[in-house]
Amino acid sequence: MNLDWQICSRARLSRDARFDGKFFIGVLGSRVYCRPICPAPTAKEKNCRYFSSAAAAAEAGFRPCLRCRPECSPGTPAWLGTSNTVSRALRLIGESGLEDGGVEVLAERLGVGSRHLRRLFLQHLGATPSAVANTRRLQFAKKLIDETSLPMSHVAQASGFGCVRRFNAAIRETYHRTPTQIRRLAHQKNTSPGNQYLFRLRFRPPYQWESMLTFLAARATPGVEEVALGHYRRSISLNGTNGYFEVSLDEKRQGLSVHIQFDDSRALFLIIERIRRMFDLSADWQAIATRLRTDPALARRLEDVPGLRVPGCWNGFELATRAILGQQITVTGATALAGRIVSAFGQPFFATGGLTHLFPSPEILADANLSGVGLTNARSKTIGALARAVCDGRISFEGIAESDAFLTRLSEIPGVGPWTAQYVAMRALGEPDAFPSGDLGLLRALNLGSVRELERRSAAWRPWRAYAAMYLWNIASERSVSGGKAVLPKRQKSSVARAAAQQSASMVA
Ligand SMILES: [Zn+2]
């Protein structure tokens, strides 16, 4: 484990929220473990032990604190710097628990031996993969007990315990209380109907909620997504069940408020996990800022707009389709096209406000005649080919263990170039180092004349180039709003424009 106890100690004593979820504190006397922000009186240093994950604290025999509720902390930082494998394993555990086959299968999917995977987990998180999966299951169960009025048998199922007896035993062992006693402690005033849930998801501050909304608003597919009055909402469909969710900022709690309407409570874990990824809640802002600050142009913007995140997506296929639509046209144009595809081919769905449809499935788009809604021949062929590849299993946006291999397969689709692939990597796979270097907006933001120059400069931003891209688009969009035009060196202007036309789209509407 690479925890620096002096940093941990300072963060603990100042209750520094930027460290929330990055480490946990076990207190020897009470045998309880806490978040750095715990409101309880601080323990003496000699009685504190530091752990890099909740699972490690649990493994060492500490119980989760009922006051600061470790299950509510933002996730383990999404990117553990040196260990790609651990980050990817965490992503896979997030998608399925460890339900489909345990550590052996997980290791195999990641292309490493299971002993090696255990060693990596112990090194970075201080706990084995199965302990991490167990802790996540328990944490989610605790969240459902505290924040919903679901019957306990549903809580057991939704958090992956299989049977109520196992669930009861695990909760009692961990919290020294029964599920019902815990629910009583939570003093809920939950009056929402049975299929509606309200959750609070924390982030490590700072978090630029306004910029996140602005980005999503410009790209919101009419009928499927909507941004209004500080809320983002969208229709969703999972395993044949339809519903929607709505997200807004919960300023008091340094988190997001998530309202979900969905009939199948067993899907809640996956829905929450996807929302966490979509809003990039596990990002470790400090690590990102430290690296990006080394570039003077980015440093200024980081100062002005701290806490930009990389917006993810709800559904990889939808995002990839949207990225193809966005090739070589403005964001506004692409959004309008997406809206037309939805009203022609999406399944009608009625929820709140402007949500009228579900985004069409790959099965529908595989055979759809897209030229009828105004797409160029080339674009409709590309989208059709993508949809067919998803239908026959050549491409799957779920359970991706190896991003490079996935992107290679994606790029084999005619019409999917490096820009589209990198954009999908950024937003659908959550790759923090993905970078669509051919993007005209990125070049403009830095007044650079060539893709090669940009690539050279971006080397210093690794492994956070996706965040750098968000900052550069932020710079470029402000310039276009204020009417200022980025000036490209004259002799390179046309070659940049040509390069951009071949492989990229300007994200600046
Ligand atoms: Zn606590």
Side-chain angles (χ1 to χ4, degrees), residues 84-106:
N84 261 333
T85 311
V86 176
S87 302
R88 292 194 173 124
L90 285 176
R91 185 163 78 193
L92 292 176
I93 291 175
E95 282 173 25
S96 65
L98 256 187
E99 279 149 58
D100 42 0
V103 185
E104 299 294 330
V105 173
L106 181 66

Side-chain angles (χ1 to χ4, degrees), residues 49 97 114 224 365 426 447 484:
R49 296 291 176 271
S114 61
V224 173
L365 290 188
M426 256 180 91
N447 291 332

Side-chain angles (χ1 to χ4, degrees), residues 79 101 130 132 136 150 224 246 264 281 303 356 409 464 495:
W79 200 251
S130 40
V132 168
R136 286 185 87 132
L150 272 180
V224 173
E246 184 179 288
D264 183 359
L281 298 185
E303 194 77 22
T356 55
R409 280 198 302 281
W464 307 113
S495 71

Side-chain angles (χ1 to χ4, degrees), residues 32-35 37-40 64-70:
V32 157
Y33 73 89
C34 285
R35 299 154 71 180
I37 58 154
C38 185
C65 171
L66 291 168
R67 260 183 97 175
C68 61
R69 302 175 58 201

Side-chain angles (χ1 to χ4, degrees), residues 20 35 64-66 68-75 134-152 154-156 158-159 161 167 171 174-175 179 182-183 186-188 190 196-203 250 253-260 268-269 271-273 275-276 281:
D20 195 7
R35 299 154 71 180
C65 171
L66 291 168
C68 61
R69 302 175 58 201
E71 69 275 12
C72 295
S73 65
N134 267 334
T135 302
R136 286 185 87 132
R137 209 164 18 235
L138 265 164
Q139 290 185 332
F140 191 64
K142 173 73 163 43
K143 215 167 159 52
L144 292 178
I145 296 171
D146 282 343
E147 299 180 27
T148 75
S149 49
L150 272 180
M152 293 304 176
H154 291 214
V155 174
S159 45
F161 277 96
F167 161 73
I171 292 286
T174 307
Y175 291 95
I182 292 178
R183 183 163 275 171
H187 303 296
Q188 288 183 34
N190 198 333
Q196 300 202 16
Y197 309 92
L198 184 65
F199 292 101
R200 299 224 152 69
L201 307 179
R202 307 297 207 278
F203 49 71
D250 182 349
R253 292 187 167 86
Q254 297 181 325
L256 301 181
S257 264
V258 179
H259 169 247
I260 300 170
L268 285 174
F269 183 79
I271 295 175
I272 297 271
E273 203 59 34
I275 295 174
R276 270 191 221 278
L281 298 185

